[in-house]
Amino acid sequence: MVTGREVRLPADIIYADPSPGSSTETRNVPTMQQARYAGRMPKRLVHVHQIAMEQLKQRAKCSKVHYDQKASVIDYNVGDPVWCLIEGRNVGLCPKLENIYEGPMLIQQKKINS
């Protein structure tokens, strides 16, 4: 599905077909069956790609449903203590050793989304 052809392993290259009359010239000439296979391959690859994309979409929907079941929304009220994320970084200090939260702070006003 990935390459659209049979994978040639190192052993296949080292141990070529030992049958009499087989040489590199005769093995590289495509047969009629191989030509038909090669002619059908682009359509089949497009079809396989469409199937894979549909499966990815279905998995994304299932993952979202599973995530949403476990997600929770916390409703904060005025006067609740919270930790505030510090998004800016100080130049010259190691980010690993900096505090990323400041607080505790009290909520003074609640923004209403409309």
Side-chain angles (χ1 to χ4, degrees):
M1 185 172 114
V2 175
T3 61
R5 63 180 177 84
E6 287 290 325
V7 177
R8 293 190 68 190
L9 301 173
D12 295 335
I13 297 169
I14 294 171
Y15 305 109
D17 185 14
S19 61
S22 68
S23 65
T24 56
E25 294 83 25
T26 58
R27 278 188 278 136
N28 290 336
V29 175
T31 63
M32 184 59 104
Q33 183 181 9
Q34 290 171 335
R36 277 186 271 143
Y37 177 79
R40 291 190 308 249
M41 184 54 59
K43 290 180 184 176
R44 293 175 73 189
L45 286 175
V46 168
H47 180 67
V48 168
H49 184 264
Q50 289 172 345
I51 292 172
M53 292 304 294
E54 289 171 10
Q55 291 294 321
L56 282 173
K57 287 178 185 177
Q58 288 178 0
R59 285 303 313 150
K61 287 179 184 177
C62 290
S63 295
K64 182 185 178 340
V65 168
H66 183 70
Y67 177 83
D68 289 346
Q69 287 174 350
K70 296 185 178 255
S72 61
V73 177
I74 300 173
D75 187 29
Y76 294 107
N77 296 315
V78 176
D80 288 348
V82 293
W83 288 89
C84 184
L85 176 65
I86 303 171
E87 295 185 17
R89 297 285 180 227
N90 295 328
V91 178
L93 293 177
C94 178
K96 286 184 176 182
L97 301 177
E98 280 189 86
N99 291 331
I100 59 172
Y101 295 104
E102 187 178 356
M105 298 182 173
L106 296 177
I107 295 180
Q108 295 178 352
Q109 183 180 8
K110 195 170 180 180
K111 183 178 178 181
I112 299 173
N113 294 331
S114 54

